[in-house]
């Protein structure tokens, strides 16, 4: 539309407007230099540069200067061009006169421009009723003469006459019109093809992804996102496939958790209620051994509930650590002694190797909790020799400008952990042993609590383990 607008409808007006401005600018240049001693040279230079024939007439119509650069221009080649009358005619017309001529027939027609600067298009609309139509007239006009009255230093009135040729634009417009038919047809075709391509390559994959996303929202985690077409869509569908995979993992964990927790809760509860009922109904069963079983099972329940609460608090960040300087070595030693007392009867031995006391600023309760979780795991999973070794070492940490850090290792001689399980044991509710052997029933939360506590202390942690070669769980803290 823009091309039609500029190149067909308004081409002529724009062209005329440009010509008028050009001729006026040339006139102004000459007017400014009229008192210059080189005026003759200036006129011929200006005239040559802009292809405009120029004459400067005295008030009586005598030619003072003249520059004839365009062959056949009216002001030089038509003998009946009325020079004598022109100066007074221009003066009477407020000092400025536009004339259009049909060069061939030399039919003169005066048509002062209303205001060519502000709207060149208007030059077309000044015809009276009885005159030829705009189009016919357009063919006739091929010369524009602009005359202007100027005054020189001697107060003499001179008349500048400038003659510019106007090439007919009709032929050009017709050519452009034909070109534009082709361009328009091509553009329409191109737009339709483009629209189809856009629909195929952009909208369709998005629609497909949208449908899959709706399926995902209803809980169908097996949904596949197929993003074909272009890079961004392929990336988006990859991301969504990944999201679906992760969501399905969470869903699986949730189901497992419910199964595990309900199993873990039910077993002690069954024992507690069974023993309690027996003690109530059978006088022989009312002994301290059975009472101990009830106490143990209650503790197991408490641990489970505490673990679940701790981990949710730790992981939602609802828990803060209170760092206080304390003797880590003494604190770990105490935990080990207590545990040793508890486990001695079952034949467990925990050795503690530490060559010096380490004091550091940390949350003692939390660090003890983490250590206790590692120790309990080691007891639960250690081998036949029932031995556990805890080692404390001090080392310059290369990751922390070689300042002193402490490393605590808890080593057991148990079954170890398969390599493929190693990256997951720190996850919540992850248990390697999925079959619930009563002896080693855990919540799957212990290591994830260790991880959260050490993360909060900006400490490091890890494990080296091989099947049947025992495991070494370790953590480090800045001293
Ligand atoms: P759990 O309460 O089941 O022990 P954890 O988070 O403490 O949960 O441990 C996650 C899993 O890592 C355990 O189920 C167990 O399979 C494995 N694991 C942890 N500690 C040891 C260990 N010392 N030896 C062998 N396996 C271990």
């Amino acid at each position: 539309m823009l091309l039609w607008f500029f190149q067909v409808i308004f081409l002529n007006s724009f062209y005329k407007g440009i010509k008028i401005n050009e001729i006026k600018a040339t006139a102004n240049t000459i007017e400014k230099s009229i008192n210059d001693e080189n005026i003759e040279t200036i006129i011929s230079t200006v005239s040559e540069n802009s292809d405009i024939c120029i004459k400067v007439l005295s008030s009586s119509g005598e030619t003072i200067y003249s520059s004839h650069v365009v062959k056949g221009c009216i002001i030089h080649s038509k003998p009946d061009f009325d020079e004598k009358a022109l100066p007074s005619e221009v003066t009477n017309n407020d000092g400025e006169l536009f004339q259009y001529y049909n060069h061939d027939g030399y039919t003169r027609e005066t048509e002062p421009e209303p205001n060519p600067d502000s709207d060149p298009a208007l030059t077309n609309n000044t015809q009276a009723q009885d005159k030829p139509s705009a189009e016919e007239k357009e063919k006739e006009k091929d010369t524009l003469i602009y005359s202007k009255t100027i005054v020189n230093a001697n107060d003499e009135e001179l008349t500048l006459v400038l003659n510019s040729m106007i090439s007919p634009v009709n032929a050009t417009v017709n050519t452009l019109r034909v070109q534009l038919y082709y361009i328009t047809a091509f553009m329409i075709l191109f737009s339709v093809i483009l629209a189809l391509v856009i629909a195929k390559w952009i909208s369709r994959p998005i629609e497909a992804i949208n449908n899959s996303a709706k399926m995902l929202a209803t809980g169908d985690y097996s949904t596949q996102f197929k993003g074909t077409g272009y890079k961004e869509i392929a990336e988006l569908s990859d991301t969504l496939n990944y999201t679906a995979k992760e969501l399905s993992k969470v869903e699986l964990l949730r189901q497992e958790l419910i199964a595990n927790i309900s199993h873990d809760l039910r077993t002690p509860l069954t024992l507690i209620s069974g023993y309690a009922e027996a003690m109530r109904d059978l006088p022989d069963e009312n002994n301290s051994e059975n009472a101990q079983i009830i106490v143990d099972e209650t503790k197991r329940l408490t641990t489970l509930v505490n673990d679940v609460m701790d981990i949710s608090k730790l992981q939602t960040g609802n828990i803060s650590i209170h760092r206080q300087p304390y003797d880590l070595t003494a604190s770990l030693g105490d935990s080990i002694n207590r545990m040793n007392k508890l486990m001695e009867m079952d034949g467990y031995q925990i050795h503690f190797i530490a060559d010096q006391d380490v004091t550091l600023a940390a949350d003692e309760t939390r660090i003890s909790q983490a250590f206790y979780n590692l120790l309990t795991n080691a007891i639960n999973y250690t081998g036949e020799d029932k031995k556990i070794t805890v080692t404390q070492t001090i080392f310059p940490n290369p990751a922390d400008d070689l300042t002193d850090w402490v490393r605590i290792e808890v080593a057991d001689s148990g079954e170890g952990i398969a390599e493929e399980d190693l990256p997951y044991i720190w996850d919540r509710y992850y248990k390697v042993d999925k079959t619930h052997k009563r002896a080693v029933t855990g919540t799957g939360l212990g290591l994830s609590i260790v991880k959260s506590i050490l993360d909060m202390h900006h400490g490091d942690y890890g494990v080296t383990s091989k099947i049947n070669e025992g495991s070494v769980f370790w953590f480090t803290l800045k001293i």
Side-chain angles (χ1 to χ4, degrees):
M1 278 181 73
L2 270 180
L3 282 177
W4 279 99
F5 184 77
F6 281 105
Q7 301 206 329
V8 173
I9 303 174
F10 288 119
L11 184 73
N12 187 45
S13 316
F14 277 108
Y15 177 65
K16 260 164 105 183
I18 289 165
K19 277 284 174 192
I20 287 165
N21 285 341
E22 191 182 81
I23 208 167
K24 278 179 125 184
T26 314
N28 285 341
T29 315
I30 298 170
E31 186 181 1
K32 274 187 204 137
S33 330
I34 196 69
N35 298 317
D36 198 304
E37 52 187 29
N38 297 325
I39 182 65
E40 205 151 1
T41 332
I42 293 173
I43 287 177
S44 62
T45 316
V46 167
S47 163
E48 262 165 39
N49 285 350
S50 47
D51 260 350
I52 294 174
C53 285
I54 301 172
K55 264 188 183 180
V56 181
L57 307 176
S58 70
S59 54
S60 56
E62 303 295 328
T63 304
I64 305 173
Y65 305 116
S66 166
S67 170
H68 186 181
V69 287
V70 184
K71 223 178 129 208
C73 71
I74 288 178
I75 58 172
H76 287 103
S77 20
K78 294 291 170 187
D80 47 349
F81 177 71
D82 197 357
E83 286 182 354
K84 302 280 179 243
L86 193 61
S88 56
E89 205 179 334
V90 179
T91 318
N92 292 341
N93 201 51
D94 289 341
E96 216 178 22
L97 184 67
F98 279 98
Q99 293 161 306
Y100 290 93
Y101 284 89
N102 175 334
H103 190 258
D104 299 332
Y106 187 42
T107 50
R108 196 186 124 179
E109 169 203 316
T110 309
E111 192 187 284
E113 291 297 312
N115 190 352
D117 274 340
S118 65
D119 189 355
L122 285 176
T123 50
N124 263 351
N125 305 333
T126 49
Q127 279 94 39
Q129 289 285 321
D130 55 341
K131 289 191 176 171
S133 75
E135 210 171 311
E136 283 171 298
K137 222 171 141 193
E138 205 50 56
K139 282 182 200 152
E140 295 169 2
K141 294 173 184 169
D142 60 359
T143 295
L144 168 66
I145 296 179
Y146 174 62
S147 315
K148 190 180 185 185
T149 311
I150 57 171
V151 182
N152 70 6
N154 306 332
D155 246 1
E156 288 166 346
E157 257 193 15
L158 305 175
T159 307
L160 263 179
V161 188
L162 291 89
N163 182 152
S164 171
M165 306 302 268
I166 298 180
S167 329
V169 289
N170 281 349
T172 318
V173 167
N174 284 338
T175 316
L176 288 175
R177 191 173 287 142
V178 174
Q179 277 191 349
L180 283 176
Y181 283 133
Y182 286 112
I183 291 175
T184 308
F186 174 75
M187 284 303 225
I188 290 172
L189 194 73
F190 182 69
S191 319
V192 170
I193 293 172
L194 198 68
L196 289 176
V197 170
I198 289 174
K200 191 166 184 315
W201 289 95
I202 299 180
S203 317
R204 275 197 208 151
I206 292 179
E207 258 171 53
I209 287 182
N210 189 28
N211 288 338
S212 304
K214 280 184 194 154
M215 307 257 289
L216 182 66
T218 59
D220 180 358
Y221 299 111
S222 59
T223 309
Q224 275 295 315
F225 289 89
K226 290 188 204 85
T228 47
Y230 51 103
K231 203 179 107 228
E232 286 80 0
I233 282 291
E235 275 175 10
L236 176 65
S237 64
D238 282 353
T239 313
L240 287 169
N241 277 328
Y242 177 70
T243 310
K245 212 172 102 195
E246 291 300 304
L247 280 175
S248 71
K249 271 196 215 158
V250 172
E251 175 62 14
L252 212 68
L253 271 178
R254 194 182 62 86
Q255 287 168 358
E256 253 177 41
L257 165 75
I258 293 173
N260 287 353
I261 293 203
S262 44
H263 178 272
D264 291 345
L265 287 174
R266 207 175 46 221
T267 319
L269 281 174
T270 316
L271 283 171
I272 291 169
S273 73
Y275 277 89
E277 275 172 25
M279 288 167 77
R280 182 195 63 196
D281 298 338
L282 309 167
D284 280 357
E285 294 295 322
N286 200 345
N287 54 34
S288 61
E289 257 170 59
N290 287 351
Q292 186 59 45
I293 290 174
I294 293 179
V295 171
D296 286 348
E297 292 304 313
T298 317
K299 274 191 192 143
R300 202 196 285 277
L301 271 182
T302 315
T303 317
L304 177 68
V305 173
N306 281 346
D307 274 4
V308 173
M309 275 166 60
D310 271 352
I311 195 69
S312 56
K313 273 195 253 165
L314 280 167
Q315 299 215 328
T316 51
N318 278 340
I319 221 167
S320 52
I321 51 165
H322 307 284
R323 282 178 192 267
Q324 288 280 329
Y326 77 100
D327 188 335
L328 175 76
T329 319
S331 167
L332 296 184
D334 283 350
S335 303
I336 291 168
N337 284 343
R338 255 180 274 130
M339 198 58 122
N340 257 335
K341 269 199 194 114
L342 210 65
M343 295 289 154
E344 246 166 18
M345 287 190 303
D346 299 329
Y348 288 97
Q349 288 174 16
I350 309 169
H351 295 283
F352 187 29
I353 306 167
D355 50 7
Q356 70 179 86
D357 272 18
V358 169
T359 301
L360 47 65
D363 190 324
E364 183 173 0
T365 323
R366 295 285 158 205
I367 295 294
S368 298
Q369 186 183 7
F371 176 67
Y372 183 80
N373 283 351
L374 293 184
L375 206 57
T376 323
N377 277 349
I379 292 169
N380 281 340
Y381 299 102
T382 194
E384 295 300 317
D385 63 355
K386 298 190 171 180
K387 273 191 184 141
I388 293 125
T389 313
V390 179
T391 321
Q392 174 200 287
T393 42
I394 296 165
F395 69 103
N397 191 348
D400 189 25
D401 289 339
L402 295 176
T403 50
D404 278 347
W405 281 54
V406 63
R407 179 185 170 105
I408 307 294
E409 284 180 2
V410 182
D412 66 65
S413 58
E415 64 205 60
I417 303 164
E419 209 178 320
E420 66 264 24
D421 288 318
L422 279 179
Y424 304 109
I425 55 169
W426 305 92
D427 289 351
R428 260 189 301 177
Y429 306 118
Y430 188 88
K431 294 185 192 180
V432 177
D433 184 15
K434 308 270 174 180
T435 55
H436 286 268
K437 275 191 269 162
R438 190 70 202 125
V440 286
T441 298
T443 56
L445 292 172
L447 289 181
S448 133
I449 292 175
V450 173
K451 172 182 154 175
S452 299
I453 291 174
L454 284 155
D455 280 341
M456 288 173 96
H457 281 85
H458 307 295
D460 211 354
Y461 51 85
V463 59
T464 41
S465 184
K466 268 198 186 142
I467 283 286
N468 295 329
E469 287 179 25
S471 320
V472 179
F473 280 84
W474 57 265
F475 67 87
T476 60
L477 287 169
K478 190 184 170 116
I479 297 178

